Amino acid sequence: MAAYVFKEVDGEDYADLIRSLNALEPDRFPALEDRHLELGYWWLLKASAGVVVGFAGLCPFDPCPGVGYLKRAYVAPDHRGKGLQLKMIQAREEKARELGWHLLVSECKDNPHSERNFLAAGFEICEPEQPWGEAGSVYFVKLL
C-alpha cells in the first residue's frame, strides 16, 4: 500500500486547491463559501509521490456552540478502498476534541461507503429536528 500523508492546512492559503478538489464532485459537493474556508479546518491527503489525492474539512455547526460539522471528504477514485476516509474522520474528530467541541454531525446522500465509514468511526444515524441536507440524506451524530 502506498504511503499517505494527511496534513492540516490553512483553508484560506489553500482555497484555490480546496475549491478545485471540491469541484471534482459537483453533483455531490456544492461550492464552498469563503466563510467555510476562513472559519473551518482543512486537510489535504497526499500520496507518496506528493500528489494531492483528497481533502476533508471540519467547520463549526452554526449556530450551535461546541458542535462541529464534517464538511467534506473526498478521495480520488484510484485511492479509494484503503481506509483513507475513516482516517480522515478520525483526524477531524481529534481536532474537534482539541477545540473542546462536544459533538460532531454530518450527513451524506447515496453514498453507502461513507455511511459505513461513519458507523465504523462510532457515529450513530439520527433524525435531526431540522434537517439541513438534501431530501434522502442520512444524518450522523457522535458525542465526544
Side-chain angles (χ1 to χ4, degrees):
M1 178 165 126
Y4 292 91
V5 176
F6 189 56
K7 181 180 177 189
E8 187 174 355
V9 298
D10 184 295
E12 291 178 290
D13 290 347
Y14 287 85
D16 291 340
L17 178 56
I18 293 169
R19 281 191 168 109
S20 68
L21 292 166
N22 189 75
L24 293 174
E25 295 275 349
D27 295 336
R28 190 174 305 258
F29 297 149
L32 290 166
E33 298 176 21
D34 288 342
R35 67 186 173 96
H36 299 137
L37 297 163
E38 294 165 4
L39 301 175
Y41 302 89
W42 296 91
W43 289 261
L44 295 176
L45 175 65
K46 292 183 180 181
S48 56
V51 177
V52 176
V53 297
F55 78 106
L58 171 68
C59 296
F61 192 66
D62 290 330
C64 304
V67 178
Y69 174 66
L70 299 183
K71 184 71 177 163
R72 297 282 193 272
Y74 172 80
V75 176
D78 292 350
H79 299 272
R80 293 178 184 164
K82 299 175 180 173
L84 297 169
Q85 187 187 51
L86 181 58
K87 289 179 191 228
M88 294 183 344
I89 290 171
Q90 293 165 338
R92 292 178 289 166
E93 181 180 331
E94 185 178 313
K95 180 67 173 187
R97 289 180 192 280
E98 284 176 25
L99 295 168
W101 293 355
H102 63 275
L103 190 73
L104 287 175
V105 298
S106 196
E107 94 285 334
C108 63
K109 181 180 176 194
D110 300 327
N111 193 333
H113 301 292
S114 289
E115 290 179 29
R116 283 193 295 276
N117 281 314
F118 278 119
L119 295 172
F123 282 73
E124 295 179 12
I125 294 173
C126 67
E127 291 294 327
E129 188 174 308
Q130 296 180 356
W132 61 86
E134 294 180 23
S137 291
V138 178
Y139 295 88
F140 297 90
V141 62
K142 183 172 183 177
L143 186 62
L144 301 179

